[in-house]
């Protein structure tokens, strides 16, 4: 089967995943692997938007815990996402995949400012669009950015790529051997059970706008392609059963 189930997707990549085994910064082998997987689905005709976190460089909430003003720490985190986005853009363009980075905070020398209509036009032309700098406001996570941008560009699904985790579990599988994996969930269940899939703001936004979410393991090569072709891997989250 080579006909994609989804025409337009938002891929959410965690910043920590980009660090690989190094644990900090950007592992070139990892980012190249991610770029190859993105290229695979672009070649299927899927319109791809990407939201990258910044946790491999800086996490706003961690900076706040160290005494830095929370808003300032969050803005620093937004800049970290721009660094990751530019690195991913470079990896994709080395593979001849046309890519645009759009930032919520203007920095025209390195990226376009986020403009919804322009982002959609890029997608229609087959370009990968990377949304950087969160949504431009402190106190919001990149999960919320993914939910917001998915609603704005009318994406069919959010693909939440996890590093070495193949879905949503009842508990942390690395700490609890009795943890079991959910095949399907609703956003209401995520909120009621306090599952750490995405923050409550992002979950509510997805629920209100009927945007499905698929949580899967990106460490296994080819998984992004499998997901967009409709293969059931990971955990599927919907607004209702």
């Amino acid at each position: 089967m080579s006909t994609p189930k989804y025409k337009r997707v938002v891929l959410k990549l965690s910043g920590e995943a980009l660090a690989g085994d190094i644990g900090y910064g950007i592992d070139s082998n990892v980012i190249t692997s991610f770029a190859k997987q993105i290229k695979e689905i672009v070649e299927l005709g899927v319109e791809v938007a990407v939201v990258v976190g910044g946790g491999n460089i800086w996490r706003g909430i961690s900076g706040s815990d160290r005494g830095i003003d929370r808003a300032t720490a969050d803005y620093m985190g937004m800049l970290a996402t721009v660094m990751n986005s530019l690195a991913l853009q470079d990896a994709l363009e080395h593979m001849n995949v046309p890519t645009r980075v759009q930032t919520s905070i203007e920095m025209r020398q390195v990226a376009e400012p986020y403009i919804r209509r322009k982002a959609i036009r890029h997608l229609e032309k087959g370009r990968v669009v990377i949304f950087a700098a969160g949504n431009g406001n402190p106190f919001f996570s990149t999960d919320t950015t993914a939910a917001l941008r998915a609603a704005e560009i009318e994406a069919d699904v959010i693909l939440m790529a996890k590093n070495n985790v193949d879905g949503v579990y009842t508990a942390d599988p690395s700490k609890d051997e009795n943890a079991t994996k959910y095949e399907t969930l609703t956003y209401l269940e995520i909120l009621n059970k306090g599952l750490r899939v995405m923050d409550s703001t992002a979950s509510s936004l997805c629920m209100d706008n009927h945007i499905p979410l698929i949580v899967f393991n990106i460490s296994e090569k080819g998984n992004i392609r499998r997901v967009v072709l409709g293969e059931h891997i990971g955990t599927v989250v919907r607004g209702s059963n």
Side-chain angles (χ1 to χ4, degrees), residues 3-67:
T3 302
K5 180 178 180 180
Y6 307 104
K7 175 62 176 174
R8 180 176 295 168
V9 305
V10 170
L11 175 65
K12 172 61 172 65
L13 293 174
S14 72
E16 288 88 344
L18 299 182
D21 294 332
I22 299 172
Y24 179 83
I26 300 169
D27 185 320
S28 60
N29 292 325
V30 170
I31 204 164
T32 298
S33 172
F34 292 172
K36 285 179 180 177
Q37 291 194 61
I38 292 170
K39 181 179 181 179
E40 286 179 354
I41 63 171
V42 170
E43 290 175 342
L44 291 174
V46 179
E47 297 174 4
V48 185
V50 185
V51 175
V52 189
N56 56 319
I57 300 171
W58 180 265
R59 292 181 64 86
I61 196 164
S62 298
S64 177
D65 290 341
R66 297 172 192 166

